[in-house]
Amino acid sequence: MTSKRDSHGRFKADRSNRTLAIGAATAIGAVATGLASAIHFGLFDRFFAARDGHAAPDLEGDRHPGPDSRAPDHFRPDPTAPVSAADREALRPATGPAPGFAADRGGVRSQPD
């Protein structure tokens, strides 16, 4: 193989192997990035069996339970049970001034000025 010279008489480096290697590495990296993104966003989830949840034997039969069939007593909530103070406080609506765009930096809007 003869070395090529440029217009000034200097030898030109043969970079065809390096260019081919960079192109192959770029293509492999693009494919790997695409596969990783597809796995991350769940595009392959339909090919794998679900691992969470539990079996629902009452729904696996040929007929669906009707409106006259109820859950066993120990699965039904007690509507007459008293609500604890902690639960009542957790369900209380949040009150206070509404957040605005003109708030001071570092200021807490839930506390009065």
Side-chain angles (χ1 to χ4, degrees), residues 15-61:
R15 295 190 174 127
S16 62
N17 289 339
R18 185 174 79 167
T19 305
L20 183 66
I22 290 173
T26 302
I28 291 170
V31 169
T33 302
L35 287 174
S37 299
I39 290 170
H40 175 72
F41 290 115
L43 298 179
F44 294 133
D45 286 349
R46 63 181 165 172
F47 300 117
F48 303 111
R51 295 187 184 140
D52 58 345
H54 59 280
D58 56 336
L59 299 177
E60 291 177 357

Side-chain angles (χ1 to χ4, degrees), residues 5-12:
R5 293 180 182 251
D6 64 1
S7 62
H8 299 290
R10 296 179 293 218
F11 288 108
K12 290 177 66 176

Side-chain angles (χ1 to χ4, degrees), residues 58-59 63-71:
D58 56 336
L59 299 177
R63 62 182 206 73
H64 193 276
D68 57 338
S69 61
R70 296 192 62 191

